[in-house]
Amino acid sequence: MNFTPAGPNGLVDCYLLVKSADKKTSSKGDSYLDMVLSDKSGEINAKLWSYVPAVHGEYESGDIVKVRGTVSQYNGNPQLRIEKIRMT
């Protein structure tokens, strides 16, 4: 993925296409949004923890979103932890 760095520690700020978005529940009972986001260079799994649709918005396949978050490794694969998300 070609992300535009917005700060230290893997922080990114970019526009991405939503390939999938599913509301799920963690083992602790908290809601989160499990997404696959993409750009022309590839795709990445993304998570929005403590997801509240009324606060964060609702997303579906085909939406273009602006995302700010941190890329890290999870089970050997890159994962984007979303801090802010909005429709474009």
Side-chain angles (χ1 to χ4, degrees):
M1 300 292 300
N2 292 327
F3 293 111
T4 303
N9 303 323
L11 187 65
V12 296
D13 190 14
C14 51
Y15 292 92
L16 299 166
L17 172 70
V18 176
K19 294 199 80 174
S20 68
D22 298 306
K23 182 179 176 183
K24 295 186 176 182
T25 304
S26 72
S27 59
K28 295 180 182 180
D30 296 327
S31 292
Y32 70 96
L33 192 59
D34 184 25
M35 305 178 85
V36 175
L37 302 173
S38 70
D39 67 7
K40 64 182 176 184
S41 67
E43 60 186 40
I44 190 168
N45 181 265
K47 302 280 192 269
L48 175 60
W49 300 102
S50 302
Y51 174 61
V52 178
V55 173
H56 300 108
E58 295 187 46
Y59 306 95
E60 58 186 48
S61 181
D63 289 343
I64 303 292
V65 293
K66 182 170 185 186
V67 175
R68 177 171 285 176
T70 305
V71 177
S72 59
Q73 293 290 316
Y74 180 74
N75 287 337
N77 295 310
Q79 184 179 76
L80 176 61
R81 181 183 178 113
I82 299 169
E83 295 171 15
K84 292 184 179 181
I85 186 171
R86 68 172 173 84
M87 297 289 285
T88 60

